[in-house]
Amino acid sequence: MRRFDALEVIASLTMDLPVVTCAASSRELASIADCPNHLYLLDSMGLAGSVGTGIALADPRLPRVVTIEGDGSLLMNPNVLPTGGYLAPPNLTLVLLDNGVYGATANLPTYTGRVDLGGIAEAAGWTVRRAGTADDLRRALTFSLTVDGPVFLHVLLEVGNATGIPKLLEDPVVLGRRFSDWLAAR
């Protein structure tokens, strides 16, 4: 499964939920469904998990906050795993899209070939599910919507970015305001 395929599944199941993402996932998600419930963190690699955790903690009435991280991004800020496990927001799902490489740097390998981020999440107190196909991801994400506590979905992907995806050149302030307005209207 490619990242683009995984993002299509996520977009189809989260139309009424806040979704936080960064880096190439932001561009690809915006090309699939550019929605006000999506917070695209531009030039903020490694921070989507922290922002998503903060949103989930700030409003436990939200049914679920879905955060999308790449393996390279999560490796830049792995502290989100023990923090999320310790604080245990009841409504947080972190989707790790793991293709084993830093896509922005000519596909240099990350450490996920030898470091099990799902195992780290589980040790930190997250409920962990793994997926390798679109159907697996659909089932795991649907499951995560029923769980009380943080859920970590470790999704194994093929290497590579989708081609022909335009850069996301929107003003981050405008994107943030759009997302804030969407949250406030709920």
Side-chain angles (χ1 to χ4, degrees):
M1 172 172 53
R2 299 172 307 140
R3 180 177 50 232
F4 194 86
D5 302 324
L7 291 169
E8 285 180 322
V9 170
I10 294 166
S12 72
L13 295 173
T14 60
M15 296 175 74
D16 295 324
L17 300 173
V19 177
V20 180
T21 189
C22 68
S25 295
S26 290
R27 289 190 302 278
E28 291 183 19
L29 183 60
S31 75
I32 292 166
D34 185 16
C35 302
N37 64 309
H38 297 167
L39 178 58
Y40 308 115
L41 301 178
L42 306 180
D43 299 324
S44 300
M45 192 170 161
L47 294 178
S50 296
V51 171
T53 301
I55 293 168
L57 288 167
D59 192 349
R61 295 168 301 155
L62 290 169
R64 185 70 35 183
V65 175
V66 177
T67 302
I68 304 167
E69 286 276 20
D71 51 312
S73 182
L74 185 57
L75 286 166
M76 289 183 72
N77 181 20
N79 187 52
V80 72
L81 297 178
T83 300
Y86 179 79
L87 297 174
N91 56 344
L92 178 63
T93 296
L94 193 154
V95 180
L96 174 64
L97 300 179
D98 183 355
N99 63 8
V101 300
Y102 293 99
T105 59
N107 294 332
L108 293 171
T110 67
Y111 303 132
T112 60
R114 293 183 45 199
V115 175
D116 180 4
L117 292 172
I120 294 170
E122 190 169 33
W126 296 69
T127 298
V128 175
R129 291 291 183 269
R130 298 179 191 269
T133 68
D135 287 339
D136 291 345
L137 175 56
R138 189 172 290 104
R139 280 190 294 277
L141 186 53
T142 300
F143 164 81
S144 82
L145 304 178
T146 68
V147 174
D148 184 28
V151 178
F152 184 90
L153 305 181
H154 192 168
V155 183
L156 296 176
L157 302 174
E158 298 171 16
V159 172
N161 298 330
T163 58
I165 303 296
K167 293 195 181 281
L168 189 54
L169 299 175
E170 297 293 325
D171 183 337
V173 173
V174 172
L175 292 172
R177 170 54 60 190
R178 178 180 83 162
F179 181 76
S180 294
D181 290 347
W182 178 84
L183 275 178
R186 298 193 50 80

